[in-house]
Amino acid sequence: MFGYQPDFIVKAIHQQIENGFEVGPQHELAGPVCKLICEFTGADRAALCNTGSEAVLGAMRIARTVTGRSTYR
């Protein structure tokens, strides 16, 4: 989308590394980033996931809740 290593992204990453980074479940910026995503997309809620597997698991849980289905058949 922005090409290979655009300067503004490289600069932002270096700045964040200098500021420190979290090793744990959520970074302190996760909330503000999700809020911006909701404003940009018009969605009611947004979530950040560490892996695709985590995202699919969350989607499956939401689908089961909405449809009322369980994991058992």
Side-chain angles (χ1 to χ4, degrees):
M1 190 159 128
F2 297 114
Y4 182 73
Q5 293 187 349
D7 291 337
F8 74 98
I9 291 179
V10 172
K11 183 179 176 182
I13 291 171
H14 281 246
Q15 182 179 355
Q16 187 59 52
I17 290 171
E18 291 295 320
N19 292 339
F21 52 91
E22 300 293 320
V23 178
Q26 287 288 327
H27 190 276
E28 64 184 24
L29 296 176
V33 168
C34 286
K35 186 174 182 175
L36 289 171
I37 291 170
C38 288
E39 289 175 10
F40 182 71
T41 62
D44 293 332
R45 297 172 67 178
L48 302 177
C49 299
N50 292 315
T51 65
S53 297
E54 186 180 341
V56 170
L57 178 63
M60 295 297 290
R61 288 179 175 172
I62 292 168
R64 281 197 313 266
T65 300
V66 171
T67 62
R69 296 174 83 180
S70 70
T71 58
Y72 307 106
R73 282 206 149 231

